Amino acid sequence: MSAIEAMLGSQSFFYGMEPEHLATLAHVASPVDYEPGDVIFREGGDADACYLILEGDVGLEMMVPGRGPHVIQTLHAGEILGWSWLFRPYRWVYDAQALTPTKAIRFDAPALRRAKLEDCAFGYELMQRFTEVLASRMQAARLQLLDLYGSHR
């Protein structure tokens, strides 16, 4: 087992994955660093990756008409950034920006899509885990919209 496989296996998001699935993930992984203010991706851009945040904080933002960008959720170490790579048309639905110095592991999305098609068990495992992320992000967006557009009595 490589060092990156061991590191991935120790992260809560990947904990309990089969060793061959961790090896697949490690094969398409590369470390990345961001400084505060660096844009990691923009809404509408190619969703060509997903990230495991190792250190730092990342803001997920959406444009609010007449109000500008609004942070809908802040992600921290141990969390996954990006789920849009899973669904056509493979476009980001939010902006992501580093809020603090951030270290992450970047996973190549086209390679992950191929791997999940070639290994159904791997694909199922990823979908189960990413569905939880998607549900969490949708709930955060819903709460932010209620806050922005709710009644002001």
Side-chain angles (χ1 to χ4, degrees):
M1 179 178 279
S2 73
I4 195 162
E5 288 172 57
M7 184 275 302
L8 292 175
S10 72
Q11 298 292 316
S12 62
F13 185 80
F14 297 114
Y15 185 78
M17 276 190 127
E18 296 294 330
E20 63 268 17
H21 297 164
L22 292 173
T24 299
L25 288 164
H27 184 71
V28 301
S30 57
V32 291
D33 297 306
Y34 298 99
E35 294 300 320
D38 286 353
V39 174
I40 300 169
F41 54 77
R42 290 246 183 247
E43 179 181 351
D46 265 347
D48 61 353
C50 64
Y51 305 81
L52 170 65
I53 302 169
L54 299 175
E55 296 176 17
D57 304 303
V58 174
L60 290 178
E61 301 176 341
M62 60 186 255
M63 290 302 291
V64 178
R67 297 184 188 196
H70 184 77
V71 174
I72 59 166
Q73 192 172 19
T74 301
L75 304 180
H76 310 283
E79 294 188 90
I80 289 291
L81 170 63
W83 53 263
S84 299
W85 68 274
L86 281 166
F87 307 103
R88 284 187 178 93
Y90 309 121
R91 298 276 179 217
W92 297 117
V93 296
Y94 303 118
D95 292 346
Q97 182 175 184
L99 302 176
T100 62
T102 300
K103 293 183 181 301
I105 299 293
R106 180 188 187 277
F107 300 94
D108 180 72
L112 282 178
R113 286 193 293 266
R114 284 189 302 275
K116 73 182 187 67
L117 289 174
E118 292 168 2
D119 180 346
C120 292
F122 176 68
Y124 180 77
E125 188 70 31
L126 279 184
M127 291 303 288
Q128 288 289 102
R129 292 166 189 257
F130 273 90
T131 298
E132 292 179 21
V133 171
L134 177 58
S136 169
R137 303 289 152 71
M138 296 297 284
Q139 181 65 10
R142 178 182 170 275
L143 293 173
Q144 288 293 324
L145 288 171
L146 286 173
D147 186 45
L148 284 172
Y149 295 112
S151 65
H152 300 285
R153 298 179 212 216

